[in-house]
Amino acid sequence: MSSVKKIVLAYSGGLDTSIIIPWLKENYDDPEIIAVAGNVGQADELEGLEEKALKTGASKLIVADLVDEMVDDVIIPSMKAGAKYETYLLGTAFARPIIAKSLCEIALAEGADAICHGCTGKGNDQVRFELTIKHFAPGMKIIAPWREWDIKSRDEEIDFAEAHHVPLKITRETDYSKDKNLWHLSHEGLDLEDPANEPNYDKPGFLEMGVSPTQAPDVPTYVTLTFDKGVPVAINGEQKKASDIIADLNVYGGQNGIGIIDIVENRLVGMKDRGVYETPGGTILYKAHELLEMICVDKDTLHEKEKLAVDFADLVYNGKWYSPLREALSAFVDKTQEYVTGTVRVKLYKGNIIPAGMTSPYSLYSENLATFDESDYNQKDAEGFINLWGLPTKVQALRAQGKLQ
């Protein structure tokens, strides 16, 4: 431990990373600690972070602006893939590889001996951080205090913080474990640890990105999104970068109770875990993209893409963003998005996203072919098609009856 002179710490200012600074000072022979906060859109959580980091023993705080990198390099490619992990839209998993990549860049530039993170030994994030570190800084020492110290619970963490005069914004009664970025907010712990308990969505302060559907307005909100090759490029006719579109959708979605899910998911480490996720803007974006694909992507490609979306989501969830397979799947996805260009209109109403029309210059939908009125479609052609398509079925039946010749 005494050989570690300089540590780069993934610093959020939350309970875990707040107490890690004094713990590192005590247990690693007073090393220099550079706190690094990745700005991934957590907004007010960054306020007062520098003062807090310095007061608790860090030599400096570096805030890395990672919002657009996270959105453009991870979120949008995953959205184009339709990647969902057991209905979870991967909010925490999207941010981790980008934050860890930044930690590596800073650690190498600063000549650090180690990178430290505050992930628990029970969670997925330790894997996401460390696989990324192994990719970008394979020789770097990794320190994970939750796998070293004697602290066993969040209550004991608070005891440590109080003993070391570390200021906290939480109390023992309101200490949900939360993770926030531009894309989502997660809630875990306390009463949510029992799946029998209904989340108190209407309790003031529980939901932060919006309201519950029961508190949403009685009047619907219409939103129009424009895509170019699967990438969102405009909202309500106004061209904007993707991160700003997501920010706008968060407002519309939050106001209308969109994107709140309560799931028990299968963690990578083997246990089931219950969480409540708020993803208002992301839920709208995923849905609008799916609607546009319905008219722009052919059947075989769409069905294959839907199957591979599960594999894509597994890679993201399991920390393998920087892997050959994920890159190969992204190349496939990009090919499928060649003609996913057009505009989608949705109606937001009390937690629901209701399709309200989509158009594309590359649509495969032909009203002339699909109409119930007279069209160019020759219905007599169906007879020969069915005879050939059903020939194996007919042959099997004749065999079973002993009539096959």
Side-chain angles (χ1 to χ4, degrees):
M1 289 185 175
S2 60
S3 65
V4 177
K5 303 299 183 183
K6 185 182 293 189
I7 301 172
V8 166
L9 168 67
Y11 186 73
S12 68
L15 176 58
D16 294 331
T17 58
S18 293
I19 67 169
I20 281 176
I21 294 178
W23 184 87
L24 288 172
K25 289 284 190 181
E26 290 180 0
N27 290 273
Y28 276 82
D29 196 21
D30 195 26
E32 178 186 354
I33 298 172
I34 300 172
V36 176
N39 175 16
V40 286
Q42 62 270 51
D44 58 348
E45 290 186 6
L46 294 171
E47 294 176 7
L49 217 55
E50 182 175 23
E51 181 183 3
K52 183 176 181 180
L54 297 178
K55 278 186 176 180
T56 49
S59 63
K60 61 181 173 180
L61 172 74
I62 297 173
V63 178
D65 188 0
L66 307 174
V67 174
D68 287 327
E69 185 177 359
M70 176 184 71
V71 170
D72 297 339
D73 294 355
V74 180
I75 290 179
I76 298 304
S78 300
M79 181 274 301
K80 290 192 296 182
K84 300 176 185 178
Y85 184 82
E86 300 175 356
T87 74
Y88 165 47
L89 293 185
L90 297 163
T92 305
F94 284 156
R96 294 309 186 235
I98 295 300
I99 294 172
K101 175 173 175 281
S102 177
L103 290 172
C104 292
E105 292 169 347
I106 292 170
L108 293 172
E110 294 280 347
D113 304 304
I115 293 174
C116 178
H117 64 73
C119 308
T120 74
K122 289 183 177 182
N124 304 303
D125 281 342
Q126 58 182 335
V127 181
R128 296 164 184 158
F129 270 113
E130 294 186 30
L131 261 60
T132 302
I133 294 169
K134 291 179 188 300
H135 178 80
F136 287 103
M140 186 68 65
K141 179 179 175 61
I142 299 171
I143 300 173
W146 267 106
R147 305 200 298 252
E148 295 184 27
W149 61 24
D150 296 327
I151 297 172
K152 298 294 191 296
S153 68
R154 294 181 74 79
D155 263 350
E156 290 185 11
E157 283 189 285
I158 294 174
D159 291 340
F160 185 96
E162 290 174 348
H164 290 75
H165 308 291
V166 176
L168 299 174
K169 294 182 180 180
I170 60 165
T171 67
R172 296 176 195 270
E173 292 73 30
T174 62
D175 184 24
Y176 284 107
S177 177
K178 297 185 179 185
D179 177 77
K180 186 178 184 180
N181 59 45
L182 177 69
W183 187 251
H184 92 143
L185 174 65
S186 64
H187 309 255
E188 294 176 329
L190 297 180
D191 56 305
L192 298 179
E193 291 188 345
D194 184 350
N197 292 332
E198 178 184 4
N200 192 354
Y201 296 126
D202 295 324
K203 180 181 179 180
F206 180 74
L207 297 176
E208 296 182 26
M209 296 185 75
V211 299
S212 72
T214 59
Q215 295 180 336
D218 295 328
V219 178
T221 300
Y222 285 88
V223 176
T224 301
L225 285 166
T226 303
F227 294 85
D228 180 24
K229 295 184 177 180
V231 178
V233 293
I235 181 169
N236 296 331
E238 184 179 355
Q239 290 192 346
K240 292 187 176 184
K241 63 181 181 178
S243 60
D244 288 341
I245 290 174
I246 292 170
D248 288 350
L249 288 174
N250 280 338
V251 175
Y252 294 126
Q255 291 170 345
N256 288 278
I258 304 295
I260 303 166
I261 64 168
D262 174 10
I263 63 171
V264 176
E265 70 195 65
N266 291 292
R267 278 185 175 176
L268 174 59
V269 296
M271 70 184 72
K272 289 184 180 288
D273 176 68
R274 197 268 188 98
V276 169
Y277 296 101
E278 300 179 59
T279 319
T283 303
I284 300 168
L285 191 61
Y286 261 68
K287 181 63 175 179
H289 181 259
E290 290 171 3
L291 291 172
L292 188 58
E293 282 190 320
M294 287 197 306
I295 63 172
C296 294
V297 182
D298 67 278
K299 173 185 171 181
D300 289 345
T301 302
L302 185 61
H303 287 189
E304 189 64 30
K305 180 175 177 290
E306 288 173 343
K307 289 185 285 186
L308 290 175
V310 176
D311 296 331
F312 197 108
D314 280 345
L315 290 170
V316 178
Y317 189 86
N318 295 339
K320 291 191 173 183
W321 181 258
Y322 299 107
S323 67
L325 178 55
R326 198 282 306 164
E327 292 176 0
L329 289 179
S330 283
F332 164 78
V333 169
D334 286 344
K335 179 64 178 178
T336 71
Q337 301 299 291
E338 267 186 327
Y339 297 109
V340 185
T341 294
T343 299
V344 180
R345 190 169 183 246
V346 293
K347 179 166 65 174
L348 313 178
Y349 184 67
K350 292 188 178 297
N352 297 289
I353 305 172
I354 304 165
M358 49 267 198
T359 62
S360 170
Y362 305 110
S363 175
L364 293 171
Y365 179 83
S366 168
E367 186 176 354
N368 175 56
L369 291 175
T371 181
F372 284 98
D373 294 330
E374 183 178 354
S375 75
D376 295 334
Y377 181 83
N378 185 355
Q379 300 201 30
K380 291 182 180 179
D381 290 343
E383 181 178 357
F385 164 74
I386 295 170
N387 285 338
L388 294 177
W389 183 251
L391 184 59
T393 302
K394 180 179 179 179
V395 170
Q396 291 166 36
L398 290 171
R399 181 186 66 181
Q401 297 170 10
K403 298 179 180 178
L404 184 63
Q405 297 180 354

